């Protein structure tokens, strides 16, 4: 893999060099680099980040020039790729996976004039911003739909790693499914991977064998959607719409839309107004999109789900509004109280009613 | 915990299904290694078979064509490795790794226009009344063609290696290629055929993933299955039935832990997740502890280049 990426990187640097030689008269465009954890064709997480990159290109045209390096493992190799991107003259670099956090901080120290944007992390510096999306807002919407649509009252959840982002999603979906269907039960399977289609498919099958008729996932590939389609059951698109993988199975989806944020940040660098920030955007800012509702969802359920999305977007409703107890029955949020971002960012507990334990 | 909802029959059936890709790939690699060739490109050959089988299934709607295309593609891409290592005497380890990278890249390119499509569903063989037998009907006669092909491949390889003259020649070449050459056996030719066989079965393993188990084409979808297959060959100490058992054990434990989680077993999911790997390591330790020094099962010429002029 290293070798391949080196070639890709060398080719993109060479292409960039050739371009700049070819047009010496024009002002230099802003170079924006991207480093991805998966392939751009995963039709999930990385795919949507690359859509964001393309949004920068179409919005700012000749003023920018973008390059990307895909399938970079989280760890030491990321530091090498980030360094190369910085050396290649990129002034703004997006690192789009949690595990790139320390490499970004290290490289940012060596290149104080390069601006870095790190997705889903929490370490900042003067030239390092962090950004993430409030996916749990989307989970509230699809949880509501799932609560209404399940006939067996069992919802299967294919989870990746027990990190706060994933736990938050399970809690949010469960709270809202339970609200509309008191009999609902969640079964969670942890697969300990972001991307392994066979394992994700097997997990979905295991959940269906246990009576789940709706599958939710927090992994990157559309495998679970394919299984739901094959078995004539329902599922939700994750990160990307995934409709083509489950034309009948897909009820709705949570779509990551990074484009508006990426364009805004690239513009800020061009204007000289870029500052280190901590952005956590949701439905309101457009970073979390709710995919079109399937016509298999009854009209009143669609309206209810839409109303929740609208209320969240308008700031009238917070998906974590009390009274909510922790799994052990101890109170977490009092009546009307909403969760603060600090607790949400570190969430490592299930809410009351969920079975099983959060692995640690 | 609700054991009542865990159907042991369908569990056994899915455990078998989960082991098929690595069973195919490991059996083919076993033949290659028995002839003295260490091909680390299993992952690359699998993913090439996965995409080729998928494309053929979509374009022709024919199961036979899909299976043939997967085997041919896996075999075809293994020829790169074969020519480089057997004729140009390149390093087998490096060339095998290159084959994996090449396969991942080629499959991503070939599959670009096929992502997001559903393969046609192929009907499993119909065993007539046999399929209605209680218990046996489900766990013996309820699979797709490729599953039976995998078991027949193991049987065939076992018969070939142990009861045929050609198999004896292949093993002799793997143990001592200079002696075999002195006896007039075509070392390079036999090894090339063994490499191609390994490629074909790895391709079938990949196609089983993209056509039946997942069923979709996603770039990089083998996600390390080829490396597991390589480990299974050592695990099975280069014996077909043990390799089959290793594949069933690994696939089975992986599947079992997912099912136990779904049932709600009160064990930390992290332990369940590492179980397949932990058990594999334990068995490897147990096997190697039984012998002193280097495993006697390892083909003596494994990974060594052969120069006929020496």
């Amino acid at each position: 893999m290293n070798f391949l990426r080196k070639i890709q990187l060398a080719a993109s640097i060479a292409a960039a060099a050739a371009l700049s030689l070819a047009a010496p008269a024009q002002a230099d465009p802003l170079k924006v680099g991207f480093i991805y954890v998966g392939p751009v064709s995963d039709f999930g997480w990385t795919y949507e980040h690359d859509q964001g990159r393309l949004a920068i290109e179409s919005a700012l045209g000749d003023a920018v020039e973008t390059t990307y390096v895909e399938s970079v493992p989280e760890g030491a190799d990321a530091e090498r790729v980030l360094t190369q991107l910085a050396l290649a003259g990129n002034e703004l670099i997006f690192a789009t996976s949690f595990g790139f956090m320390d490499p970004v901080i290290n490289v940012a120290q060596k290149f104080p004039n390069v601006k870095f944007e790190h997705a889903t992390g929490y370490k900042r510096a003067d030239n390092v911003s962090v950004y993430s999306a409030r996916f749990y807002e989307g989970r509230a919407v699809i949880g509501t739909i799932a609560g209404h649509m399940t006939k067996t009252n069992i919802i299967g959840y294919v989870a990746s790693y027990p990190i706060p982002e994933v736990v938050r999603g399970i809690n949010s979906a469960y709270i809202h499914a339970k609200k509309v269907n008191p009999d609902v039960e969640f079964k969670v399977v942890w697969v300990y991977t972001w991307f392994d289609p066979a394992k994700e498919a097997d997990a979905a099958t295991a959940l269906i064998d246990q009576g789940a008729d709706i599958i939710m996932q927090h992994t990157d590939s559309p495998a679970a959607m394919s299984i739901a389609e094959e078995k004539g059951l329902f599922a939700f698109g994750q990160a990307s719409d995934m409709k083509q993988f489950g034309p009948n199975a897909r009820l709705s989806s949570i779509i990551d839309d990074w484009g508006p944020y990426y364009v805004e940040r690239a513009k800020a660098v061009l204007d000289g107004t870029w500052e280190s920030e901590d952005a956590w955007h949701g439905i309101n800012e457009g970073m979390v999109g709710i995919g079109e509702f399937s016509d298999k969802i009854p009209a009143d359920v669609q309206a209810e789900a839409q109303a929740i999305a609208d209320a969240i977007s308008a700031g009238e409703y917070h998906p974590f509004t009390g009274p909510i107890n922790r799994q052990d029955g101890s109170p977490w949020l009092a009546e009307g109280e909403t969760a603060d971002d600090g607790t949400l960012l570190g969430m490592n507990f299930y809410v009351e009613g969920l079975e099983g334990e959060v692995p640690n | 915990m609700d054991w009542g909802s865990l159907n042991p029959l369908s569990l056994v059936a899915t455990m078998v299904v989960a082991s098929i890709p690595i069973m195919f790939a490991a059996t083919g690699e076993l033949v290659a290694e028995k002839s003295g060739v260490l091909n680390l490109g299993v992952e690359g050959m699998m993913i090439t078979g996965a995409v080729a089988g998928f494309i053929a299934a979509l374009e022709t709607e024919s199961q036979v064509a899909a299976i043939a295309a997967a085997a041919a593609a896996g075999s075809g891409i293994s020829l790169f490795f074969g020519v480089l290592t057997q004729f140009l005497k390149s390093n087998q380890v490096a060339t095998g790794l290159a084959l994996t990278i090449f396969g991942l890249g080629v499959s991503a390119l070939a599959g670009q226009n096929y992502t997001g499509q559903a393969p046609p569903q192929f009907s499993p063989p119909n065993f007539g009344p046999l399929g209605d037998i209680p218990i046996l009907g489900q766990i013996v006669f309820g699979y797709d063609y490729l599953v039976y092909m995998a078991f027949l491949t193991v049987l065939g390889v076992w018969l070939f290696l142990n009861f045929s003259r050609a198999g004896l020649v292949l093993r002799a070449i793997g143990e001592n290629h200079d002696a075999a050459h002195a006896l007039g056996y075509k070392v390079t030719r036999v090894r090339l055929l063994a490499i191609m066989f390994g490629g074909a079965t790895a391709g079938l393993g990949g196609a089983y993933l993209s056509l039946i188990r997942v069923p979709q084409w996603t770039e990089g979808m083998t996600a390390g299955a080829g490396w597991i297959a390589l480990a299974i060959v050592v695990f099975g100490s280069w014996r077909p039935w043990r390799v089959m058992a290793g594949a069933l054990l690994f696939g089975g434990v992986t599947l079992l832990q997912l099912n136990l989680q779904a049932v709600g077993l009160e064990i930390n999911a992290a332990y369940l997740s590492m179980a397949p790997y932990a058990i594999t390591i334990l068995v490897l330790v147990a096997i190697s502890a039984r012998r002193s020094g280097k495993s006697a099962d390892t083909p003596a010429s494994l990974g060594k280049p052969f120069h006929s002029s020496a």
Side-chain angles (χ1 to χ4, degrees), chain A residues 229-253:
Chain A
E229 179 76 16
E230 191 183 73
K231 310 246 176 181
L233 300 171
F234 293 127
F236 294 93
Q238 164 69 14
S240 183
D241 196 52
M242 298 187 178
K243 183 159 190 172
Q244 69 270 46
F245 294 94
N248 301 303
R250 179 197 153 286
L251 288 173
S252 179
S253 51

Side-chain angles (χ1 to χ4, degrees), chain A residues 1-4 39-43 70-71 187-192 195-199 201-203 205-207 209-210 221-227 229-230 244-245 355-360, chain B residues 2 5-7 10-11 14 18 101 104-105 108 112 115-118 121 209 211-223 254-255 257-259 261-264 266 268-270 273 277:
Chain A
M1 298 282 268
N2 285 343
F3 182 61
L4 188 69
V40 294
S41 62
D42 69 356
F43 279 82
E70 62 182 337
S71 297
K187 288 185 188 290
V188 182
V189 169
W190 300 93
V191 293
Y192 286 88
F195 180 83
D196 183 343
K199 208 166 181 185
D202 289 344
T205 307
L207 288 162
D209 284 346
Q210 292 307 312
S221 97
M225 179 66 82
S226 286
I227 295 295
E229 179 76 16
E230 191 183 73
Q244 69 270 46
F245 294 94
E355 283 171 25
E357 279 173 49
V358 181
N360 44 33
Chain B
D2 183 11
S5 54
L6 199 61
N7 178 346
S10 70
L11 188 63
T14 47
I101 298 166
L104 288 168
Q112 259 175 357
T115 312
Q117 298 187 44
Q121 283 199 15
L209 274 179
L211 291 176
I212 294 161
R213 184 145 156 235
V214 177
Q216 62 178 225
W217 164 249
T218 315
E219 196 180 320
M221 68 182 301
T222 44
T254 306
L255 220 284
Q257 65 95 357
L258 293 173
N259 277 279
Q261 283 195 52
V263 176
E266 295 291 333
N268 194 319
S273 248
Y277 305 93

Side-chain angles (χ1 to χ4, degrees), chain A residues 278-345:
Chain A
D278 183 347
W280 202 18
H281 292 177
I283 296 178
N284 181 29
E285 296 89 347
M287 199 178 266
V288 176
I290 305 296
E292 187 195 347
F293 295 133
S294 154
D295 55 18
K296 296 197 170 58
I297 309 175
D300 56 328
V301 177
Q302 290 196 24
E304 189 181 338
Q306 189 59 50
I308 289 181
D310 292 344
I312 292 172
S313 178
E316 294 158 5
Y317 175 66
H318 191 292
F320 291 104
T321 303
I324 300 175
N325 290 345
R326 292 171 194 254
Q327 190 182 31
D328 58 15
S330 62
W332 173 37
L333 297 173
E335 176 83 41
E337 191 187 353
T338 56
D340 62 286
D341 282 0
T343 312
L344 288 182
L345 285 169

Side-chain angles (χ1 to χ4, degrees), chain A residues 128-327:
Chain A
V128 179
S129 272
V130 293
Y131 63 99
S132 186
R134 296 178 185 268
F135 301 118
Y136 67 89
E137 297 184 351
R139 298 271 172 205
V141 179
I142 67 170
T144 304
I145 297 171
H148 280 294
M149 296 295 289
T150 177
K151 293 192 177 68
T152 59
N153 291 329
I154 298 173
I155 289 161
Y157 206 112
V158 182
S160 50
Y161 295 97
I163 58 174
E165 185 189 324
V166 177
V167 176
R168 218 158 45 223
I170 296 170
N171 283 329
S172 176
Y174 176 74
I175 288 170
H176 293 86
K178 183 91 175 171
K179 206 170 267 180
V180 298
N181 180 352
D183 296 326
V184 84
E185 190 188 332
F186 269 44
K187 288 185 188 290
V188 182
V189 169
W190 300 93
V191 293
Y192 286 88
T193 176
W194 287 112
F195 180 83
D196 183 343
K199 208 166 181 185
E200 294 169 50
D202 289 344
T205 307
L207 288 162
I208 290 166
D209 284 346
Q210 292 307 312
D213 62 349
I214 297 186
I215 300 292
M216 289 188 191
Q217 65 173 76
H218 203 140
T219 48
D220 290 354
S221 97
M225 179 66 82
S226 286
I227 295 295
E229 179 76 16
E230 191 183 73
K231 310 246 176 181
L233 300 171
F234 293 127
F236 294 93
Q238 164 69 14
S240 183
D241 196 52
M242 298 187 178
K243 183 159 190 172
Q244 69 270 46
F245 294 94
N248 301 303
R250 179 197 153 286
L251 288 173
S252 179
S253 51
I254 299 176
I255 303 172
D256 309 353
D257 188 358
W258 307 103
Y261 179 77
Y262 285 4
V263 172
E264 179 199 316
R265 299 304 278 168
K267 267 190 189 150
V269 175
L270 286 169
D271 302 344
T273 57
W274 190 95
E275 273 179 20
S276 172
E277 273 187 13
D278 183 347
W280 202 18
H281 292 177
I283 296 178
N284 181 29
E285 296 89 347
M287 199 178 266
V288 176
I290 305 296
E292 187 195 347
F293 295 133
S294 154
D295 55 18
K296 296 197 170 58
I297 309 175
D300 56 328
V301 177
Q302 290 196 24
E304 189 181 338
Q306 189 59 50
I308 289 181
D310 292 344
I312 292 172
S313 178
E316 294 158 5
Y317 175 66
H318 191 292
F320 291 104
T321 303
I324 300 175
N325 290 345
R326 292 171 194 254
Q327 190 182 31

